[in-house]
Amino acid sequence: QVQVVESGGGLVQAGGSLRLSCQAFGLSFADYGMGWFRQAPGKEREGVSCISRTGRSTNYADSVKGRFAVSRDNAKNTLYLQMNSLKPEDTAMYYCVAGCFGSVAKPMVAPEHYWGQGTQVTVSS
């Protein structure tokens, strides 16, 4: 049974930083592109960033380019999202996904994918 677990969300002031982490169990982590999506209240889920299986390729939503950085440690089965210069509009539930294309222009889930339950990020102004 596949389980995807996020951690690291919280409340932060505008301009601050947070680092999200994600672990996936029940699958071969290194065989999956990994990624982050987010969903704000009343809005559709949107892609934030994906990273390829090796970590050599990444992509980002235009709204987070230059502020967020995705990385992975295959030895630890862990995905990260370093979020800097946070803005109130970054407030959302952030979801980790196993099965994400990091080698295309924008974040995109793969046909086979697994979602985590999400971690809340709230940025106050």
Side-chain angles (χ1 to χ4, degrees):
Q1 182 176 352
V2 176
Q3 189 175 12
V4 178
V5 181
E6 305 96 335
S7 62
L11 173 64
V12 64
Q13 288 190 330
S17 298
L18 279 176
R19 188 175 81 156
L20 306 183
S21 299
C22 168
Q23 288 191 298
F25 306 95
L27 53 74
S28 179
F29 185 82
D31 287 343
Y32 285 79
M34 299 291 296
W36 294 95
F37 281 64
R38 67 185 182 186
Q39 187 167 19
K43 294 188 176 181
E44 292 187 355
R45 191 172 296 191
E46 64 171 351
V48 175
S49 180
C50 290
I51 186 168
S52 63
R53 290 174 291 177
T54 62
R56 283 197 287 264
S57 297
T58 59
N59 53 37
Y60 296 91
D62 289 341
S63 58
V64 306
K65 277 182 182 176
R67 300 187 298 123
F68 290 12
V70 64
S71 62
R72 65 189 295 162
D73 185 338
N74 286 347
K76 295 182 178 180
N77 283 11
T78 304
L79 172 75
Y80 304 99
L81 184 68
Q82 179 66 43
M83 305 186 294
N84 300 324
S85 303
L86 282 161
K87 305 175 181 180
E89 50 264 43
D90 294 318
T91 295
M93 185 72 78
Y94 282 70
Y95 296 92
C96 175
V97 60
C100 193
F101 293 123
S103 302
V104 296
K106 296 298 180 185
M108 181 186 301
V109 292
E112 179 186 353
H113 59 272
Y114 304 93
W115 293 104
Q117 293 298 306
T119 185
Q120 178 68 38
V121 171
T122 302
V123 184
S124 63
S125 57

